Amino acid sequence: MTKKQAVRFITALAHARPDAESELVYASPFELLVAVVLSAQATDKSVNKVTPSLFAAAPDPAAMALLGEEAIATHIRSIGLWRSKARNLNKLSHQLCTLHNGAVPSSRKELEALAGVGRKTANVVLNVIFGEDAMAVDTHIFRIGNRTGLAPGETPRQVEDGLRRVIPPDMLRPAHHWLILHGRYTCRARHPLCGSCPAFTPCQFPLKARNADPLPSDKRAVAANPD
């Protein structure tokens, strides 16, 4: 897409979900960090089912480190990769206590040095907790970037860089949430709901008209050009 088309696309998503935010449930920067680590190859819904008991037992890094890997594992067995995630959360908590006085660091370099934290997780924390214009490319955003023509790329980093090029700086931070929720509920991996897509017009997905009856032309025009 051109920058103009990208703005139309993102603006349409913004008007569809103006109050979009993370669906992970958390009460502190540490809890968000833990939840995002747990969300790798797992749904937010499944993470939200296990974190209440985990956070009740260990609401901060010191308590999590004291809890230990095996006890952490008992709380998260229902989500994917629970063994490695328990190991990472235990190590991550020790790192926060020994290296950062129990606080979640605000720099990408320090975040990515933590166990189980990659670029995507760091971007989520930087975006949600520290208010940075970070774009975390998960499977949903990667799919949207390629399927719609918004920011095609062979790797998440290429899609991230492409999004940063076409999305206006003042829209970049909330666009992270607009795109994730759009991918989760509308531009789904299987059976995308193209007919109810607010960004139907600027979308360049070749098969969009075949997935569902599109919005009536008048409603589609409003969705694509809400101003």
Side-chain angles (χ1 to χ4, degrees), residues 104-146:
V104 175
S106 59
S107 77
R108 178 186 302 282
K109 182 178 180 180
E110 290 175 318
L111 282 168
E112 292 186 10
L114 299 173
V117 177
R119 185 175 181 86
K120 187 202 78 171
T121 296
N123 276 340
V124 173
V125 173
L126 292 171
N127 181 298
V128 176
I129 298 300
F130 298 107
E132 292 194 16
D133 297 332
M135 176 59 68
V137 176
D138 67 351
T139 56
H140 298 300
I141 294 182
F142 184 79
R143 178 174 64 254
I144 291 173
N146 281 284

Side-chain angles (χ1 to χ4, degrees), residues 162-184:
L163 290 171
R164 297 188 69 89
R165 284 193 296 269
V166 298
I167 298 176
D170 63 327
M171 302 180 76
L172 195 59
R173 183 182 180 230
H176 161 73
H177 300 291
W178 298 329
L179 287 165
I180 286 179
L181 296 184
H182 185 60
R184 185 171 293 162

